[in-house]
C-alpha cells in the first residue's frame, strides 16, 4: 500500500509540473480582463497554505515543496490562455513555537512571476494525535508577487480542520478569504498605468494527507467562487 501511495503522488506531481503560466499578454489587456485576471492570480497566490490543522508544537519543523494550479481562467480573463491550466510552485518552511503557534515563510515563482509570503498559524484547541479526534487551526498570511508588468499584494485568513483516521491517513478541510490588490506597472493602454485593481476571494479546500514517518504527502481540491483547482504538497515534518 505504501508503494501505491508513493507512485500515485509521483504521478500527480509530474502531471502538475507540465502546466505553464504565460503572462506576456498582460500589456494588451483591458480593464475588464485585468479585473478577472486579479481574481485568477489571487487564487493561486494564496493557495495551498494548509494541509494539516495540527500545530507543529515547540521545536517542530516542516519544509514542503508545493504546487497550486487553477483548472482554467475566467472567461473574461484574456491574459491567461483560454481553457488551459495555470499555476505556481512554492517552497514553504514552518517552525513551531510555544502556545500552539507556528510561523511560516514561503517563496515561489513560475514563468517570470515571483512570489514571497508568510504568516502565522494558531492551534485553536489542544493538539491531539488520537484517531477521529479533530485538530483546528487559524492561519493568517500575506504575499507579494512581482512580474515585469504588474505586482500584487494579498492578505488572507483561513480556518482549517483535520483528523487522523489511521496511522498514515489524515483528511483535512479549510475555508477562508483573501483580499488582493494588483497594480499595473506597464500597459499598452496608458490610462491603465499605475491603476490598482482590488478583489476579494473566498476559497475552500478538501483533501488527504499521507504520513510515513517524517515524510508527508498531500493533495486537495480547491474551490474558488467561480473556478476550481488543485494543490499538492511533498516534504518532511517533525
Amino acid at each position: 500500500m505504501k508503494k501505491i501511495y508513493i507512485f500515485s503522488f509521483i504521478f500527480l506531481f509530474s502531471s502538475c509540473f507540465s502546466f505553464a503560466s504565460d503572462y506576456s499578454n498582460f500589456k494588451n489587456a483591458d480593464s475588464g480582463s485585468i479585473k478577472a485576471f486579479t481574481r485568477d492570480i489571487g487564487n493561486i497566490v494564496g493557495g495551498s497554505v494548509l494541509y494539516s490543522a495540527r500545530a507543529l508544537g515547540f521545536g517542530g519543523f516542516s519544509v514542503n515543496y508545493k504546487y497550486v494550479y487553477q483548472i482554467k481562467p475566467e472567461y473574461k480573463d484574456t491574459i491567461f490562455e483560454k481553457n488551459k491550466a495555470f499555476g505556481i510552485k512554492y517552497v514553504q518552511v514552518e517552525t513551531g513555537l510555544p502556545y500552539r503557534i507556528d510561523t511560516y515563510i514561503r517563496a515561489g515563482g513560475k514563468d517570470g512571476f515571483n512570489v514571497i509570503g508568510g504568516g502565522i498559524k494558531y492551534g485553536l484547541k489542544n493538539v491531539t494525535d488520537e484517531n477521529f479526534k479533530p485538530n483546528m487551526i487559524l492561519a493568517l498570511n500575506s504575499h507579494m508577487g512581482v512580474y515585469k508588468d504588474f505586482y500584487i499584494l494579498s492578505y488572507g485568513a483561513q480556518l482549517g480542520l483535520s483528523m487522523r483516521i489511521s496511522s498514515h491517513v489524515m483528511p483535512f478541510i479549510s475555508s477562508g478569504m483573501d483580499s488582493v490588490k494588483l497594480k499595473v506597472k506597464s500597459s499598452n493602454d496608458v490610462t491603465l498605468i499605475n491603476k490598482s485593481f482590488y478583489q476579494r476571494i473566498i476559497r475552500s479546500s478538501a483533501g488527504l494527507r499521507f504520513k510515513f514517518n517524517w515524510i508527508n504527502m498531500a493533495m486537495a481540491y480547491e474551490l474558488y467562487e467561480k473556478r476550481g483547482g488543485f494543490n499538492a504538497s511533498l516534504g518532511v515534518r517533525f
Side-chain angles (χ1 to χ4, degrees), residues 55-60 95-104 119-123 127 137-138:
L56 286 168
F58 183 53
T95 57
L97 302 176
Y99 306 109
R100 302 192 302 274
I101 297 174
D102 296 345
T103 63
Y104 66 97
I120 63 171
K121 301 176 183 180
Y122 174 66
V127 171
I137 203 163
L138 174 67

Side-chain angles (χ1 to χ4, degrees), residues 1-13 48 50-52 62-66 168-172 207-220 231-237:
M1 183 64 71
K2 185 183 295 187
K3 290 183 179 179
I4 293 175
Y5 289 149
I6 293 173
F7 286 125
S8 296
F9 273 89
I10 289 173
F11 173 77
L12 289 170
F13 269 80
S48 195
L50 294 173
Y51 68 85
S52 174
S62 174
V63 58
N64 288 275
Y65 189 82
K66 293 174 172 284
H168 299 304
V169 183
M170 286 137 280
F172 63 92
L208 290 174
R209 169 187 165 212
F210 301 94
K211 181 179 184 296
F212 303 105
N213 296 322
W214 291 346
I215 299 174
N216 283 259
M217 299 175 287
M219 187 166 185
N231 70 69
S233 179
L234 175 63
V236 296
R237 177 185 172 104

Side-chain angles (χ1 to χ4, degrees), residues 120-176:
I120 63 171
K121 301 176 183 180
Y122 174 66
L124 297 176
K125 58 177 294 186
N126 290 331
V127 171
T128 176
D129 290 317
E130 295 183 47
N131 287 353
F132 304 105
K133 294 291 182 67
N135 288 296
M136 295 180 64
I137 203 163
L138 174 67
L140 304 176
N141 64 83
S142 63
H143 295 85
M144 180 175 68
V146 178
Y147 184 71
K148 63 180 182 178
D149 297 325
F150 63 87
Y151 72 85
I152 75 165
L153 296 174
S154 174
Y155 303 93
Q158 294 185 46
L159 181 67
L161 183 148
S162 67
M163 71 172 66
R164 180 189 295 267
I165 61 174
S166 75
S167 59
H168 299 304
V169 183
M170 286 137 280
F172 63 92
I173 59 174
S174 67
S175 182

Side-chain angles (χ1 to χ4, degrees), residues 17-205:
F17 295 157
S18 64
F19 293 104
S21 307
D22 185 1
Y23 304 93
S24 61
N25 197 42
F26 182 86
K27 293 181 70 172
N28 300 318
D30 60 16
S31 179
S33 179
I34 295 177
K35 185 176 180 179
F37 173 76
T38 302
R39 284 192 294 268
D40 283 339
I41 199 169
N43 290 340
I44 62 172
V45 164
S48 195
V49 169
L50 294 173
Y51 68 85
S52 174
R54 187 195 186 284
L56 286 168
F58 183 53
F61 179 78
S62 174
V63 58
N64 288 275
Y65 189 82
K66 293 174 172 284
Y67 198 101
V68 54
Y69 70 93
Q70 187 170 311
I71 296 171
K72 62 181 179 179
E74 290 189 28
Y75 71 95
K76 290 184 179 180
D77 181 354
T78 62
I79 298 167
F80 285 132
E81 188 173 343
K82 186 178 181 180
N83 296 324
K84 187 172 182 179
F86 57 93
I88 190 170
K89 303 173 185 178
Y90 282 111
V91 174
Q92 182 166 316
V93 180
E94 306 181 26
T95 57
L97 302 176
Y99 306 109
R100 302 192 302 274
I101 297 174
D102 296 345
T103 63
Y104 66 97
I105 58 172
R106 63 184 193 164
K110 203 172 190 300
D111 305 295
F113 178 58
N114 298 302
V115 183
I116 187 168
I120 63 171
K121 301 176 183 180
Y122 174 66
L124 297 176
K125 58 177 294 186
N126 290 331
V127 171
T128 176
D129 290 317
E130 295 183 47
N131 287 353
F132 304 105
K133 294 291 182 67
N135 288 296
M136 295 180 64
I137 203 163
L138 174 67
L140 304 176
N141 64 83
S142 63
H143 295 85
M144 180 175 68
V146 178
Y147 184 71
K148 63 180 182 178
D149 297 325
F150 63 87
Y151 72 85
I152 75 165
L153 296 174
S154 174
Y155 303 93
Q158 294 185 46
L159 181 67
L161 183 148
S162 67
M163 71 172 66
R164 180 189 295 267
I165 61 174
S166 75
S167 59
H168 299 304
V169 183
M170 286 137 280
F172 63 92
I173 59 174
S174 67
S175 182
M177 183 175 69
D178 295 351
S179 176
V180 182
K181 171 188 173 182
L182 181 146
K183 188 168 184 178
V184 179
K185 295 165 57 180
S186 178
S187 173
N188 291 333
D189 183 348
V190 295
T191 65
L192 294 177
I193 296 175
N194 293 323
K195 184 174 181 179
S196 296
F197 293 81
Y198 299 88
Q199 290 292 330
R200 184 190 66 178
I201 295 169
I202 297 176
R203 67 172 72 248
S204 57
S205 66

